[in-house]
Amino acid sequence: MYIFVFLPKRSPHIYYVYYIYRVCFIMKWTNEHDVEFCKEVIASKLFETKKRSAERAQVWEAIAKKLEKVEYPKFKVEQRSVRDRLKKLIKQFRKKENDERRASGISPELTELDTLLEEISEKEEASETLAADMGEREKRRLEEDHMAGQEMRKRAMQTLSETQKRNTKIDQDSPKRKVRKGGNTALAFLAEKAEKETKLKEESNRLERERQEMEKEKQTNLCNNRMTC
């Protein structure tokens, strides 16, 4: 509901509309609301989804949006409000049914809303039973997978142990390769040999230089004698 006020501005013939206040619509649940709501719940796939799952939240959201489009009775709801309302209705229905059955000993006559809630209650119980069975089967499957994994690890360890034993036996049975001793002596011998070769080479180079110098000196003396003659 909106309230508007018209104020003159610049010209008495022109009015500007200013939004002043909006009265929020607060919905009050009636029997008609509950009946329409329960019909929408039954028509949905609410109990085909897992409890507290994202899929169920999406179904609740879809239910709320559909109810918002209903012309009569008028709904002003959201996901949380419809979820809480159904929980409250089912709780009240079960309490009422138990109280009347204990008081009279026979099942009470059901109204349209009671019939809808009875169907919803049965769907909810069936869904919870199915979820519990699936959870138990999943638990057993996980336990079996865990046991199978442990058995596989045990066999793998046994195979590894047997392989190591076989390799050890082969090493023990095969002749051991003799390890050459005197490694340091061989290195010393090679070093000494290299040193001797270096000294011989140096001595050879020295003798070659002396020979060349003597040859040069001989040539010089020969030239000097010729010049004297």
Side-chain angles (χ1 to χ4, degrees):
M1 179 179 179
Y2 296 89
I3 299 176
F4 298 95
V5 61
F6 296 88
L7 299 176
K9 187 176 182 181
R10 294 185 181 178
S11 171
H13 304 290
I14 300 175
Y15 295 90
Y16 288 84
V17 180
Y18 290 87
Y19 171 74
I20 301 299
Y21 182 75
R22 179 181 178 180
V23 179
C24 296
F25 173 64
I26 301 175
M27 195 196 85
K28 182 179 180 181
W29 286 92
T30 64
N31 186 74
E32 292 175 328
H33 285 96
D34 291 335
V35 169
E36 190 67 30
F37 168 48
C38 289
K39 288 179 180 179
E40 193 60 49
V41 170
I42 292 173
S44 70
K45 297 182 179 180
L46 180 67
F47 298 111
E48 295 179 14
T49 59
K50 189 176 180 181
K51 201 171 184 179
R52 299 187 184 89
S53 65
E55 291 78 9
R56 178 162 291 195
Q58 291 175 358
V59 175
W60 278 123
E61 186 68 27
I63 291 173
K65 288 181 178 180
K66 287 184 179 180
L67 291 175
E68 289 273 355
K69 296 178 181 179
V70 176
E71 293 295 331
Y72 182 83
K74 192 67 178 176
F75 284 88
K76 184 68 176 178
V77 291
E78 57 184 12
Q79 180 189 143
R80 183 175 180 178
S81 62
V82 291
R83 186 178 66 243
D84 292 344
R85 183 61 180 176
L86 183 63
K87 188 185 298 183
K88 182 178 180 180
L89 288 174
I90 291 176
K91 184 178 180 180
Q92 291 175 347
F93 167 73
R94 289 174 179 172
K95 184 178 183 303
K96 173 186 173 183
E97 190 179 41
N98 292 333
D99 291 344
E100 292 182 356
R101 186 179 290 112
R102 282 196 299 267
S104 61
I106 58 174
S107 298
E109 185 178 352
L110 301 178
T111 63
E112 182 182 10
L113 178 60
D114 291 337
T115 303
L116 294 170
L117 287 171
E118 184 178 38
E119 184 176 352
I120 291 173
S121 181
E122 290 174 355
K123 285 178 176 289
E124 184 182 41
E125 290 176 356
S127 176
E128 291 177 353
T129 301
L130 179 61
D133 291 342
M134 291 179 64
E136 188 64 29
R137 286 197 296 269
E138 181 67 15
K139 183 180 178 181
R140 286 198 299 269
R141 186 186 66 80
L142 291 175
E143 290 176 351
E144 291 173 357
D145 290 347
H146 179 67
M147 293 178 65
Q150 286 185 331
E151 183 65 23
M152 289 179 65
R153 284 192 292 272
K154 183 179 178 181
R155 291 180 181 178
M157 292 299 294
Q158 289 176 349
T159 303
L160 179 61
S161 177
E162 292 173 359
T163 302
Q164 290 176 344
K165 288 179 180 178
R166 285 197 301 270
N167 292 338
T168 303
K169 189 174 185 304
I170 291 172
D171 291 340
Q172 291 175 350
D173 294 342
S174 61
K176 294 183 178 179
R177 186 177 62 182
K178 293 183 179 180
V179 180
R180 294 180 61 184
K181 297 182 179 180
N184 293 334
T185 304
L187 291 174
F189 171 77
L190 292 174
E192 184 179 356
K193 182 180 179 182
E195 185 178 358
K196 287 181 179 180
E197 289 178 351
T198 301
K199 288 182 178 181
L200 288 173
K201 189 174 182 180
E202 289 177 352
E203 183 66 19
S204 176
N205 292 336
R206 186 182 65 79
L207 292 173
E208 180 65 21
R209 285 195 300 271
E210 290 180 355
R211 187 188 67 77
Q212 290 177 358
E213 288 177 358
M214 289 176 65
E215 185 69 25
K216 184 178 180 181
E217 185 178 356
K218 184 178 178 181
Q219 291 291 335
T220 302
N221 292 333
L222 181 62
C223 290
N224 289 335
N225 291 333
R226 286 180 179 177
M227 290 177 66
T228 303
C229 296

